[in-house]
Amino acid sequence: MDIKHSLAKNKTSSRRPLIYGAALAVLIIITASIGFSWRSQRIDLNALTLATVQQGPLNTQVSGYGELRSKYTRFLTANHQAQVDQVVLRPGARVTKDDIILRLSNPSLEQQLNRARLALARQRANFEALKLAQQSEQLTAQGNLTLLKSELAGAKLRAQAEGQLIAEGIVSMLDHKRSQLRVAQLSERVKLSEQQMQQMQALHQKRLDVESELVEEFSLAFASAQADVDKLQVRAGINGMLQQLHVEQGQSVQVGAPLAVVGSEHELLADLLVNERDASQIVVGQQAIIDTFTDTVAAQVSRIDPIVRDGRVAIELELAADLPSNARPALTIEGEIITDTLEHARHLRRPSYVDAEQRRPLFIVDPAANQLVQAELEFGKLAGDSIELRSALPAGTQVVISDMGEYMHLQKLTTVSH
């Protein structure tokens, strides 16, 4: 019996240190938990990002991104089947309207031009020959008419002289009558010759008009053939920048094949992509600011694309005349479109995790109690880096806009400053 009692007593004595150790561990855990809970309710205010509630005019804006493009664009295509002999300029080159971008070749067009040139030359030679022949014919007719007029004048003088000599018996009445008849005949011949001269001149003019029209027809054919050959020298057509080139040297191109794209360099438009849900706030005529990442430029909404692509709507903006120095076609940009002006709005710097028309819980600074107090705030429209605050917080109130996710289970936090 004594042995059993002694063994039981030894077992009890050996368990006591384990029990005491477990109790001490529990006490330490409880104490650490309480201490951690107490420490978790204190936060350094200087480590937080604060925003101050302000009140006054607020321009609500819609943001977007996109690129600049030429207001005037010229697409160059092949007018005839040809081969690329030389690539003179590459994309990015600044060009004037007469600058040659490509040189093409087409032997058949060269042959057509030569045939048209020879045909025009022959027709012009025929025209000049006809004019010379007509001039010769008119000179002959004019000479005959002059001779008839000379004979008529002589006959009139003879008849007049004989009329004075009849009374003296020097000239018989019969001879005088013959002289008068000759005057009448020559007068009629002169009259007919003059009519023939007029008709001949009119006929000559008609023939010259016909031949002149033929010369004009051949001239047009030659000009058309020359234009076809000239178009083998592909010119920019407008002042600006060569933006795209679709062919390489030695390549054969068909009629209508795209060759190059030239766009205006200093007359630009901005294409801004905005979220579909924000596009309903935009109307033509609204003002905007375009950021080229080195400078900003004023703009105005000129067109709204009715088609939605990938959840975004394209907004076309007309830029002001004075463009930033780095403005060029295809330059990536950002922009803000001013959709409305709120005259007496409360607003603050927008937290990164808050969107327009939302209600979100945030911590408000209570400087009198050295606390952060959690409150659910209602937000309205975006205005660039700011956002409208619809909750009734007085101006000057500070709101924590840092990410406070790990503290959102607490209603209050004690602040400390260092």
Side-chain angles (χ1 to χ4, degrees):
M1 294 295 292
D2 292 337
I3 295 173
K4 291 181 178 180
H5 179 72
S6 177
L7 291 173
K9 186 176 180 180
N10 290 336
K11 288 181 178 180
T12 302
S13 298
S14 64
R15 289 175 181 171
R16 285 176 181 172
L18 295 176
I19 294 172
Y20 292 154
L24 181 61
V26 171
L27 180 61
I28 292 173
I29 292 173
I30 292 172
T31 303
S33 176
I34 293 172
F36 178 77
S37 176
W38 177 80
R39 286 194 300 271
S40 68
Q41 296 181 23
R42 299 175 65 84
I43 190 167
D44 185 0
L45 190 62
N46 295 327
L48 302 177
T49 303
L50 305 179
T52 303
V53 177
Q54 301 179 14
Q55 186 165 4
L58 180 68
N59 291 327
T60 61
Q61 301 171 343
V62 172
S63 302
Y65 64 89
E67 64 179 20
L68 299 180
R69 65 177 172 87
S70 299
K71 185 176 182 179
Y72 304 106
T73 305
R74 188 163 187 256
F75 293 86
L76 305 176
T77 58
N79 295 280
H80 299 276
Q81 183 178 357
Q83 184 174 3
V84 180
D85 279 353
Q86 183 182 6
V87 177
V88 180
L89 298 174
R90 294 286 179 178
R94 289 176 170 83
V95 296
T96 64
K97 63 180 182 178
D98 294 324
D99 285 346
I100 297 176
I101 297 173
L102 299 168
R103 287 191 172 92
L104 310 180
S105 63
N106 185 322
S108 64
L109 292 181
E110 299 282 352
Q111 294 174 2
Q112 291 178 13
L113 176 61
N114 290 331
R115 287 196 294 268
R117 182 184 292 108
L118 292 174
L120 176 60
R122 284 195 298 268
Q123 184 58 36
R124 284 176 173 171
N126 292 338
F127 181 73
E128 293 300 325
L130 177 62
K131 286 200 299 184
L132 290 175
Q134 288 181 349
Q135 289 175 1
S136 176
E137 187 176 352
Q138 289 179 9
L139 287 175
T140 301
Q142 186 66 45
N144 292 333
L145 178 59
T146 302
L147 182 60
L148 286 175
K149 287 183 177 181
S150 177
E151 292 181 2
L152 175 60
K156 286 182 177 180
L157 289 175
R158 183 182 180 83
Q160 183 178 3
E162 288 179 348
Q164 296 175 355
L165 297 175
I166 289 176
E168 299 176 4
I170 298 174
V171 177
S172 66
M173 182 61 69
L174 179 60
D175 291 336
H176 180 61
K177 291 292 185 182
R178 287 175 179 171
S179 296
Q180 289 179 333
L181 179 60
R182 180 170 175 75
V183 169
Q185 290 175 342
L186 288 172
S187 297
E188 189 64 25
R189 288 179 62 186
V190 168
K191 183 178 180 181
L192 289 175
S193 182
E194 288 176 344
Q195 292 177 352
Q196 289 176 349
M197 187 73 174
Q198 293 175 356
Q199 291 178 354
M200 180 178 62
Q201 291 175 345
L203 180 60
H204 285 178
Q205 188 60 49
K206 288 291 184 182
R207 291 188 61 186
L208 286 176
D209 291 342
V210 172
E211 292 298 321
S212 178
E213 289 178 0
L214 289 176
V215 170
E216 183 66 22
E217 181 179 342
F218 281 98
S219 296
L220 292 176
F222 172 73
S224 178
Q226 183 67 64
D228 289 339
V229 172
D230 290 342
K231 288 176 183 177
L232 295 176
Q233 312 292 318
V234 181
R235 300 178 186 274
I238 61 174
N239 298 334
M241 177 182 291
L242 177 58
Q243 298 179 359
Q244 298 177 29
L245 190 65
H246 299 290
V247 294
E248 292 294 337
Q249 186 172 359
Q251 180 179 339
S252 295
V253 294
Q254 302 298 320
V255 177
L259 301 177
V261 178
V262 179
S264 56
E265 184 181 10
H266 300 294
E267 295 180 272
L268 303 176
L269 297 174
D271 288 328
L272 210 61
L273 297 177
V274 303
N275 287 326
E276 180 184 2
R277 70 171 182 266
D278 297 330
S280 59
Q281 306 176 41
I282 301 173
V283 296
V284 173
Q286 288 176 337
Q287 301 301 309
I289 298 294
I290 298 301
D291 186 358
T292 64
F293 302 106
T294 61
D295 205 347
T296 59
V297 59
Q300 186 177 48
V301 176
S302 57
R303 186 177 64 86
I304 302 173
D305 196 328
I307 301 176
V308 179
R309 297 181 177 86
D310 298 328
R312 293 188 173 271
V313 176
I315 309 298
E316 180 187 276
L317 298 106
E318 188 92 20
L319 302 182
D322 297 329
L323 298 179
S325 59
N326 69 326
R328 56 177 174 77
L331 177 68
T332 301
I333 58 169
E334 292 180 351
E336 305 282 349
I337 300 174
I338 301 173
T339 57
D340 195 8
T341 299
L342 306 177
E343 295 297 336
H344 304 286
R346 282 186 294 271
H347 57 91
L348 73 161
R349 180 181 169 188
R350 183 177 76 89
S352 60
Y353 47 86
V354 174
D355 289 326
E357 309 295 340
Q358 277 192 342
R359 297 179 68 90
R360 293 294 295 266
L362 275 77
F363 283 99
I364 299 172
V365 178
D366 183 356
N370 291 329
Q371 287 184 333
L372 302 181
V373 181
Q374 186 180 152
E376 186 171 282
L377 302 182
E378 182 181 359
F379 296 94
K381 298 179 179 180
L382 291 176
D385 293 335
S386 301
I387 189 168
E388 178 190 9
L389 178 63
R390 292 177 179 169
S391 299
L393 290 182
T397 302
Q398 290 188 308
V399 178
V400 179
I401 61 174
S402 302
D403 185 4
M404 300 288 286
E406 60 180 304
Y407 301 103
M408 296 311 293
H409 62 288
L410 301 173
Q411 289 300 314
K412 294 183 180 181
L413 286 167
T414 301
T415 61
V416 295
S417 299
H418 297 290

